[in-house]
């Protein structure tokens, strides 16, 4: 989980739909008031997830240097703030649904600056910077047609699963967050079990740099996503099951196709397959509903006493699945991932 290359970051920022208005018309008065605020200062005590942190003077200086760097370039800052205001409500909703601490939302800002197609030097991709193998472990589809790492909702669900598994392993959110960057194996070798179960931590020069970088993003952007509304675009997450296309959805929802494509880079060619439920991100929408797709309407499954079965007319497996989508449709877990049996089984098998 490494951070994206600076050159690629700069190029994507200035070509993104959210950045064009910033470059063309400049910051609104509301955004200008945010930009004119003093740079946030790192406190001596912080509450992060379920942890109470005490920061010594040297740690505060290191973290403050990162906060200052995030505020140094006004153009870059206003683009990032617009992205935070646009995307973070969706991230917050998914973390809340998964039982995750709200503070984890700052990790997606740290990882990708909320850029859908960000690519790191180690070939990690998307909002939460997953490599392909890790993405598939958390049930994200990655192939020539679909890359859910570029879907803000799907990738946040995957990140919640991954972070929940880390928490189940280490029982400490600091270690779970660092394990997001170095992997569970690397975190186990680096930390051992010294922080397991600890809720009060001292942050000093020995604290891992990645966690201090995370704290810098929390200090820099906490509370700022509500500081301005104008010139940002509201997004709606619409779950639906194909097959369909962005082109047909744009026509049905009266949304410009290029805008729909800009927020749904996860479908490489604009086609949405029918293998499971996907989430389409719709810009500027208020009450969009999934279309009724005739080709996916349920078909009746014959009962065991149906005469057609006695005649040898056995329904295909695809017909049975189509008639009972609840059997295979992806569902959001009602519990936090580390409370599920599958998480415990994976942790135990890895131990």
């Amino acid at each position: 989980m490494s951070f994206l290359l600076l050159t690629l970051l700069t190029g994507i920022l200035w070509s993104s739909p959210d950045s064009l208005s910033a470059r063309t018309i400049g910051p609104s008065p509301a955004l200008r008031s945010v930009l004119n605020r003093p740079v946030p200062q790192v406190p001596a005590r912080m509450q992060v997830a379920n942890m109470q942190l005490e920061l010594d003077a040297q740690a505060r200086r290191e973290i403050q240097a990162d906060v200052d760097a995030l505020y140094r370039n006004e153009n870059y800052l206003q683009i990032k703030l617009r992205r935070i205001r646009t995307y973070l409500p969706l991230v917050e909703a998914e973390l809340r649904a998964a039982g995750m601490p709200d503070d984890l939302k700052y990790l997606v800002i740290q990882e990708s600056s909320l850029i859908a197609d960000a690519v790191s030097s180690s070939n990690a991709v998307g909002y939460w910077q997953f490599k392909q193998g890790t993405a598939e472990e958390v049930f994200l589809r990655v192939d020539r047609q679909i890359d859910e790492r570029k879907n803000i909702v799907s990738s946040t669900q995957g990140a919640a699963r991954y972070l929940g598994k880390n928490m189940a392993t280490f029982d400490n959110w600091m270690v779970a967050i660092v394990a997001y960057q170095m992997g569970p194996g690397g975190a186990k070798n680096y930390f051992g079990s010294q922080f397991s179960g600890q809720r009060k931590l001292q942050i000093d020069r020995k604290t891992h740099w990645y966690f201090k970088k995370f704290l810098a993003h929390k200090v820099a952007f906490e509370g700022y996503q509500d500081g301005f509304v104008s010139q940002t675009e509201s997004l709606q997450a619409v779950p639906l099951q194909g097959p369909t296309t962005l082109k047909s959805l744009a026509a049905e929802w009266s949304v410009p196709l290029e805008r729909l494509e800009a927020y749904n880079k996860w479908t490489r060619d604009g086609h949405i397959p029918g293998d499971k439920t996907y989430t389409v991100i719709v810009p500027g929408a208020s009450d969009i509903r999934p279309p009724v797709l005739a080709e996916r309407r349920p078909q009746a499954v014959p009962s065991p006493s149906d005469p057609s079965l006695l005649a040898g007319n056995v329904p295909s497996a695809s017909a049975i699945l189509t008639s009972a989508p609840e059997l295979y449709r992806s569902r959001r877990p009602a519990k936090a991932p580390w409370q599920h049996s599958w998480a415990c089984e994976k942790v135990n098998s890895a131990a």
Side-chain angles (χ1 to χ4, degrees), residues 40 66-67 70-71 77 81 215-222 224:
D66 286 333
V67 175
L70 290 169
Y71 276 74
L77 176 61
L81 287 173
L215 295 179
H217 282 77
K218 175 177 167 66
V219 171
F221 300 114
E222 187 169 31
Y224 273 52

Side-chain angles (χ1 to χ4, degrees), residues 150-151 246 259-268 270 279-283:
K150 301 177 182 180
N151 184 307
L246 292 181
R259 301 300 294 161
L260 203 58
E261 291 174 337
Y263 287 100
N264 293 278
K265 297 179 179 180
W266 54 272
T267 169
R268 300 180 192 270
T279 301
V280 178
I281 308 302
V282 186

Side-chain angles (χ1 to χ4, degrees), residues 20 43 47 50 106 114 147 170 173 213 218 239 251 255 284 292 334:
L20 295 179
Q47 181 81 26
N50 63 352
Y106 301 110
L114 290 164
D147 190 343
F170 300 108
W173 277 115
K213 186 82 69 174
K218 175 177 167 66
V255 176
V292 177

Side-chain angles (χ1 to χ4, degrees), residues 64-250:
Q64 190 64 55
D66 286 333
V67 175
D68 294 344
L70 290 169
Y71 276 74
R72 189 162 294 133
N73 186 306
E74 183 177 300
N75 288 332
Y76 176 72
L77 176 61
Q78 65 176 283
I79 293 168
K80 181 173 284 191
L81 287 173
R82 279 198 175 89
R83 288 183 172 276
I84 290 171
R85 181 64 180 84
T86 299
Y87 288 107
L88 236 56
L90 296 179
V91 173
E92 291 168 342
E94 293 305 321
L95 292 176
R96 185 165 55 249
M100 293 284 119
D102 183 71
D103 283 332
L104 295 181
K105 65 189 178 186
Y106 301 110
L107 193 58
V108 71
I109 307 173
Q110 176 178 347
E111 282 290 320
S112 70
S113 295
L114 290 164
I115 298 171
D117 48 6
V119 181
S120 76
S121 58
S122 60
N123 207 32
V125 173
Y127 292 104
W128 287 90
Q129 290 289 279
F130 283 112
K131 294 183 180 180
Q132 181 167 346
T134 308
E136 291 169 349
E137 288 178 10
V138 295
F139 314 119
L140 299 182
R141 178 173 169 178
V142 180
D143 54 36
R144 293 183 178 180
Q145 184 179 6
I146 298 294
D147 190 343
E148 288 189 286
R149 297 174 294 181
K150 301 177 182 180
N151 184 307
I152 187 64
V153 170
S154 302
S155 62
T156 301
Q157 292 170 352
R161 296 185 188 107
Y162 191 88
L163 287 161
K165 181 180 175 182
N166 289 349
M167 183 61 179
T169 302
F170 300 108
D171 193 22
N172 180 274
W173 277 115
M174 179 188 72
V175 182
I177 289 170
V178 175
Y180 194 87
Q181 188 268 339
M182 61 167 48
K188 185 175 182 180
N189 292 334
Y190 187 88
F191 293 105
S193 59
Q194 61 177 311
F195 294 109
S196 179
Q198 291 195 27
R199 301 296 179 257
K200 294 183 178 180
L201 301 178
Q202 297 290 326
I203 306 302
D204 53 31
R205 65 180 182 84
K206 296 181 181 179
T207 303
H208 195 277
W209 67 267
Y210 187 80
F211 187 68
K212 285 188 277 194
K213 186 82 69 174
F214 170 79
L215 295 179
H217 282 77
K218 175 177 167 66
V219 171
F221 300 114
E222 187 169 31
Y224 273 52
Q225 64 263 34
D226 297 324
F228 54 97
V229 177
S230 60
Q231 296 184 10
T232 60
E233 190 153 32
S234 61
L235 302 179
Q236 183 176 349
V238 181
L240 60 81
Q241 188 173 349
T244 186
T245 65
L246 292 181
K247 184 177 181 180
S248 62
L249 293 175

Side-chain angles (χ1 to χ4, degrees), residues 241 274-277 296-299 301 318-331:
Q241 188 173 349
D275 60 316
K276 68 172 186 176
T277 299
R296 299 302 298 180
R297 288 174 182 166
Q299 302 175 10
V301 178
S318 60
I320 294 174
L321 288 177
T322 303
S323 67
E326 67 276 8
L327 295 179
Y328 71 103
R329 183 179 297 147
S330 60
R331 292 170 180 255

